[in-house]
Amino acid sequence: MQRSLRDIAALYNCEASLEKVEEFRTAEGLKSISSKCFEAANISAILIDDGITFDKMLDLESHKALSPLIGRVLRIERLAETIINDESFSGSSWTLDSFTESYVAKLKSVSTQIVALKSIAAYRSGLEINPNVSKTDAEDGLRKELTGPRPFRITNKNLIDYLFTCSLEIAVSANLPVQIHTGFGDKDLDLRKCNPLHLRAVLEDKRFSKCQIVLLHASYPFSKEASYLASVYSQVYLDFGLAIPKLSVHGMTSSLKELLELAPIKKVMFSTDGYAFPETYYLGAKKARDVVYNVLAAACEDGDLSIQEAIEAVDDIFRRNALHLYKLNVTNGSINNETTIAGGGVSSTSVEEDVLFVRIIWSDASGQNRCRVVPAGRFYEVTRNKGVGLTFAVMGMTSFCDGPADGTNLTGVGEIRLVPDMPTLLRLPWSSREEMVMADMQIRPGEAWEYCPRNALRKVTKVLLDEFNVTMKAGFENEFFLRRKLVSDGVEQWVPYDNTNYCSTSAFDGASSILQEVYSSLKTSDIVVEQLHAESGKGQFEIALKYILCTLAADKLIYARETIKSIARKHGLLATFLPKPDLNDIGSGSHVHLSLWEDDQNVFMGSSKDNFYGMSKTGAQFLAGVYHHLSSILAFTAPHPNSYDRIQPNTWSGAYLCWGKENREAPLRTACPPGVPLELVSNFEIKSFDACANPHLGLAAIVAAGIDGLRRGLKLPEPVESNPADYASKLQRLPQNLQESVESLSGDKVLHELIGDKLVKAAIAIRKAEIDHYAKNPGAFNDLIYRY
């Protein structure tokens, strides 16, 4: 009580007393405090069980002012009581058949207007449900109920078991989940009858094997039992609302830990269990975030989860699991817009009424995004688990030919599985009937293919974490050109969208409608934009993304580019990320800002006791590794002959091997953004990174180099504090063409070892093929605006 009072008082910025809180509530009014509580709770959907009534209640529609999506949960006991208490019928007129007919008809009539059913059988007769209760016993139960005084309140076990069974049958046919009250509750509940293990007969009944059953309230104090059920029954899910925030901190923490001991994280979710007062929603959301963080942090320390897995678990617990289970789409405030699988199968017809296609995305070693498209029905029935077949040759293809380059050792003989990574699934913002999902390349189920770029990045980040307890975050700047079509004398050309300069207000104004749509679409896809502006080139713009864990940043970079290109196409334009589409104009990079983190602390940044030009010792050694291997790294981050037309002195692209604090001509720039003490730096930027790079491979090369710096304790030279071109005679020039960077990579044993020798050799073979092709066919560069 006191803890909750303090939390509410802190939210309201008032004294922590009941009197002052009530005084604030009265002065502000219900609408104001509701907005404050829901905004602080950051709740994106409210599912309302309207089976409990109060003297004053808002209708469902009124809640839309508080959340973008409102759904109704129908309490089956309440529906049954509403029917038998109907004044137009006398109690004696009911038979089990007539009651069942009315109940089933009513339930079916609203089945498309609700997100779930709910049972409070635990309160009435307990959870030892008999799914085979006879009609005779149920009829007798109904008769006994009707002999009591109105309004009737159903408590007869046989009748409740019968109702429960009928409801589950309808839930299966309507593909609706069923919430079940388990564990603790109000004083009229017999806790002995609320152990979810009593549900075993229901769970074993084959009729209900595909009915998704949600055990509410963490089943406290039977959390271990609930965890066991979720681990052995595919249809059982867990919700730990009410346990949080009702229990003590120790109780909340231990209960959640017990749930996660056996239950798959994909089956555990949180709801606030808020009711009556807006503060209950806020308190649940606030404490849940604290408890989930502490539990998952402990799991990382114990080695049960990696940090990346913990981050994904947070999204699962607080968002994804509920969205899939209840078939919600928070983006457009609709229900039944996401498909969920009950017991492994779903009607392809019902899926394709909403989603028609799913794009399975991968980026190859030449940095081109490719996809296989699967009809949604088949995707959710088969492909989401088994993947699609793909030839070995895909990771040997170049930017000029859809065939494997010589020397890659990859041919049309042999097949991998392209397996969807379901946490990356999202609806295309520009095409509402399609979804896209990133994919992993597996040689057999569960075993990564050694040429898989996503796995290469995961592999090196695991080494970084295991050896140094450090993760890397990345934030990309997307530079791109917008071009418009011009047809002259029957010849089609793509010309610059405008002819303005850096940060031009008129350039932004001219493209504002397009950029607004891009921004909204990225936001819908949970891709955070920090800044956007016109760049120096003709029709060139930049969109900078927020830094996140590097494995996620690479995925989101691919999605961001797909979004930008698709929306430009929608407006009749072409967006190209090619490094140098016009040799007489400025180039486009994909500069990346990188930082190192340990337990939510930026450990790249120095301190008063650990400061090397603003960096920590860890940060400086990591950056020294990148500096030492930079010529080799360029074969991954600037992997195309066209890349080196961009990397020139005096173009802010980093042409000389050096580093400097806030030196935009250096390829490695340490940065001190607003809010960071001037004597420190929070991250470093790599200028020599462009959109021809596969982002996973580019980041993998950087992490591998940083690991070498940490292992060997490498040291940086002194920083260059002015234009490196002024010291051209003293500084080493970075590779001036792709051939030079390939030669450097060929002899770089560290990158071969950490990334994987076969993958590195394949990349080298692709680079050599491109060097040869574009040297012989310089006009082929013109086609690259369609590929990048």
Side-chain angles (χ1 to χ4, degrees):
M1 172 64 180
Q2 289 303 314
R3 182 189 70 208
S4 297
L5 183 61
R6 289 194 299 271
D7 288 340
I8 294 169
L11 175 67
Y12 291 162
N13 195 27
C14 68
E15 181 185 312
S17 68
L18 285 173
E19 293 78 11
K20 292 298 182 182
V21 167
E22 185 57 36
E23 183 179 304
F24 180 89
R25 295 179 90 253
T26 303
E28 291 291 314
L30 178 62
K31 184 176 180 180
S32 175
I33 64 167
S34 296
S35 296
K36 183 180 288 288
C37 288
F38 277 86
E39 182 178 345
N42 194 19
I43 291 172
S44 56
I46 308 175
L47 306 185
I48 298 176
D49 165 18
D50 56 6
I52 183 170
T53 57
F54 300 96
D55 292 339
K56 295 180 180 180
M57 294 176 63
L58 296 176
D59 58 24
L60 289 177
E61 193 69 21
S62 299
H63 288 80
K64 288 188 176 180
L66 305 173
S67 172
L69 190 150
I70 307 298
R72 180 188 177 197
V73 177
L74 188 145
R75 188 181 294 200
I76 63 175
E77 293 84 5
R78 173 71 174 173
L79 175 61
E81 288 166 351
T82 301
I83 292 171
I84 64 172
N85 281 305
D86 189 336
E87 293 293 342
S88 60
F89 294 91
S90 65
S92 59
S93 67
W94 285 113
T95 64
L96 185 66
D97 287 340
S98 64
F99 170 73
T100 303
E101 181 181 353
S102 180
Y103 177 79
V104 169
K106 183 64 175 176
L107 192 50
K108 286 183 175 180
S109 72
V110 298
S111 62
T112 59
Q113 304 163 30
I114 60 177
V115 297
L117 301 180
K118 179 178 179 178
S119 172
I120 56 166
Y123 271 100
R124 304 296 179 85
S125 55
L127 294 179
E128 198 167 357
I129 305 291
N130 176 10
N132 298 306
V133 60
S134 70
K135 290 187 68 174
T136 301
D137 289 341
E139 180 97 53
D140 182 63
L142 176 61
R143 198 159 39 244
K144 289 178 179 177
E145 293 287 4
L146 295 175
T147 60
R150 283 181 182 269
F152 302 118
R153 181 176 183 271
I154 300 174
T155 58
N156 182 271
K157 184 181 185 310
N158 288 329
L159 182 57
I160 288 176
D161 291 357
Y162 178 81
L163 278 173
F164 189 95
T165 305
C166 287
S167 301
L168 257 59
E169 289 174 344
I170 294 171
V172 171
S173 65
N175 195 22
L176 287 170
V178 179
Q179 299 179 345
I180 301 178
H181 181 110
T182 60
F184 74 133
D186 297 333
K187 64 180 181 179
D188 59 338
L189 174 147
D190 186 342
L191 192 59
R192 296 168 298 178
K193 297 180 180 180
C194 297
N195 189 325
L197 291 179
H198 289 313
L199 291 168
R200 188 169 181 274
V202 173
L203 300 176
E204 290 285 340
D205 195 311
K206 291 182 179 180
R207 291 174 296 169
F208 312 128
S209 62
K210 293 185 179 181
C211 182
Q212 295 157 310
I213 290 176
V214 187
L215 306 182
L216 299 176
H217 311 323
S219 298
Y220 183 85
F222 308 112
S223 302
K224 286 184 178 180
E225 289 85 343
S227 180
Y228 165 74
L229 292 175
S231 72
V232 297
Y233 292 104
S234 62
Q235 71 269 42
V236 174
Y237 294 77
L238 308 176
D239 185 315
F240 56 95
L242 186 66
I244 296 176
K246 292 291 185 182
L247 303 178
S248 67
V249 172
H250 173 75
M252 292 186 289
T253 303
S254 61
S255 179
L256 180 56
K257 283 184 174 180
E258 288 177 356
L259 287 183
L260 295 176
E261 283 178 358
L262 287 174
I265 288 175
K266 291 287 186 185
K267 299 174 81 175
V268 179
M269 66 200 76
F270 176 74
S271 62
T272 64
D273 204 64
Y275 67 98
F277 305 101
E279 291 88 352
T280 60
Y281 294 85
Y282 166 70
L283 291 172
K286 180 182 186 302
K287 296 310 297 182
R289 290 187 173 95
D290 295 341
V291 172
V292 169
Y293 172 81
N294 291 332
V295 169
L296 294 182
C300 291
E301 292 175 5
D302 294 341
D304 287 334
L305 294 174
S306 68
I307 291 179
Q308 181 184 348
E309 289 167 340
I311 291 171
E312 291 181 355
V314 169
D315 205 9
D316 286 335
I317 290 169
F318 284 121
R319 189 177 69 94
R320 280 195 294 247
N321 294 346
L323 290 180
H324 282 282
L325 180 70
Y326 296 112
K327 297 172 279 297
L328 309 175
N329 189 325
V330 173
T331 300
N332 60 24
S334 64
I335 297 170
N336 294 328
N337 274 359
E338 288 205 12
T339 303
T340 187
I341 305 301
V346 67
S347 165
S348 60
T349 302
S350 64
V351 171
E352 292 182 1
E353 288 176 357
D354 180 39
V355 179
L356 198 60
F357 296 139
V358 181
R359 304 181 187 183
I360 306 175
I361 308 282
W362 77 95
S363 182
D364 66 17
S366 69
Q368 296 179 86
N369 298 342
R370 300 175 184 261
C371 72
R372 279 285 187 87
V373 180
V374 179
R378 178 168 178 79
F379 178 85
Y380 282 100
E381 288 175 354
V382 179
T383 310
R384 75 192 302 261
N385 295 316
K386 296 182 179 180
V388 294
L390 205 61
T391 173
F392 281 3
V394 294
M395 282 303 290
M397 293 178 179
T398 66
S399 64
F400 64 85
C401 177
D402 284 342
D406 292 340
T408 59
N409 293 319
L410 297 167
T411 70
V413 178
E415 187 167 272
I416 60 166
R417 289 291 178 266
L418 198 62
V419 181
D421 181 9
M422 290 304 290
T424 68
L425 180 76
L426 58 82
R427 185 71 62 94
L428 299 190
W430 64 90
S431 179
S432 63
R433 296 198 66 195
E434 294 187 55
E435 294 174 330
M436 63 181 172
V437 63
M438 293 299 300
D440 289 317
M441 296 174 171
Q442 297 182 0
I443 193 65
R444 56 181 59 87
E447 181 181 338
W449 191 36
E450 52 203 336
Y451 294 90
C452 176
R454 296 180 86 229
N455 183 67
L457 179 56
R458 277 196 293 261
K459 185 170 64 174
V460 293
T461 55
K462 185 176 187 302
V463 173
L464 182 65
L465 180 63
D466 290 347
E467 293 190 18
F468 305 102
N469 198 33
V470 165
T471 60
M472 186 176 81
K473 293 186 179 182
F476 284 94
E477 298 175 5
N478 286 276
E479 294 177 340
F480 59 95
F481 286 91
L482 287 178
R483 292 190 167 185
R484 56 187 174 85
K485 186 186 293 186
L486 177 66
V487 179
S488 177
D489 296 328
V491 178
E492 178 184 291
Q493 299 180 69
W494 287 97
V495 300
Y497 182 71
D498 62 23
N499 188 17
T500 55
N501 53 4
Y502 175 72
C503 283
S504 164
T505 54
S506 60
F508 191 88
D509 189 54
S512 181
S513 62
I514 301 165
L515 296 173
Q516 286 178 31
E517 188 172 348
V518 168
Y519 171 77
S520 297
S521 296
L522 293 175
K523 186 177 181 181
T524 294
S525 303
D526 199 25
I527 298 173
V528 180
V529 174
E530 292 202 325
Q531 290 190 49
L532 58 168
H533 60 83
E535 262 294 350
S536 299
K538 297 175 182 178
Q540 189 186 33
F541 295 87
E542 176 181 306
I543 296 178
L545 307 181
K546 180 177 175 60
Y547 64 89
I548 52 175
L549 198 66
C550 66
T551 47
L552 301 177
D555 289 344
K556 289 183 182 290
L557 180 65
I558 290 172
Y559 281 172
R561 289 176 184 163
E562 287 295 299
T563 301
I564 293 166
K565 289 173 76 72
S566 296
I567 290 174
R569 190 178 300 116
K570 176 181 172 182
H571 287 265
L573 303 175
L574 181 144
T576 181
F577 293 84
L578 188 67
K580 196 82 168 179
D582 182 348
L583 297 182
N584 297 313
D585 201 352
I586 203 74
S588 286
S590 186
H591 311 161
V592 61
H593 291 257
L594 303 163
S595 52
L596 303 176
W597 294 77
E598 180 180 347
D599 297 332
D600 288 326
Q601 294 296 315
N602 185 336
V603 295
F604 180 83
M605 186 161 55
S607 65
S608 58
K609 298 179 181 179
D610 182 16
N611 191 330
F612 177 80
Y613 290 100
M615 293 174 278
S616 67
K617 180 181 178 182
T618 296
Q621 289 180 352
F622 187 95
L623 183 57
V626 176
Y627 172 91
H628 182 79
H629 291 276
L630 190 55
S631 294
S632 302
I633 291 171
L634 258 61
F636 287 107
T637 61
H640 199 280
N642 184 256
S643 302
Y644 297 82
D645 294 324
R646 182 184 79 90
I647 303 176
Q648 300 293 327
N650 302 308
T651 61
W652 295 9
S653 57
Y656 293 91
L657 181 58
C658 62
W659 76 278
K661 181 177 180 180
E662 298 296 9
N663 188 339
R664 283 174 166 77
E665 279 290 350
L668 302 173
R669 171 178 80 100
T670 57
C672 176
V676 174
L678 292 177
E679 69 275 11
L680 301 178
V681 293
S682 64
N683 64 86
F684 71 97
E685 178 188 24
I686 296 185
K687 291 283 188 180
S688 311
F689 203 125
D690 66 49
C692 288
N694 177 302
H696 297 89
L697 294 180
L699 291 174
I702 293 166
V703 173
I707 289 171
D708 188 47
L710 292 169
R711 283 176 172 175
R712 295 198 286 152
L714 296 177
K715 294 184 178 180
L716 285 164
E718 291 298 302
V720 172
E721 297 180 342
S722 57
N723 189 341
D726 296 341
Y727 304 92
S729 61
K730 298 179 181 179
L731 292 174
Q732 176 185 333
R733 184 76 154 82
L734 281 173
Q736 298 185 58
N737 54 59
L738 183 56
Q739 181 64 43
E740 291 180 9
S741 64
V742 166
E743 289 172 358
S744 180
L745 177 61
S746 296
D748 197 317
K749 294 181 180 179
V750 170
L751 266 60
H752 278 256
E753 174 193 346
L754 286 170
I755 296 173
D757 187 60
K758 290 183 178 180
L759 177 53
V760 172
K761 286 180 176 177
I764 288 172
I766 292 168
R767 309 295 181 255
K768 288 181 176 179
E770 297 195 319
I771 292 167
D772 181 66
H773 177 80
Y774 290 104
K776 294 176 180 177
N777 303 279
F781 280 113
N782 295 330
D783 293 332
L784 293 175
I785 60 172
Y786 305 106
R787 295 177 179 256
Y788 296 101

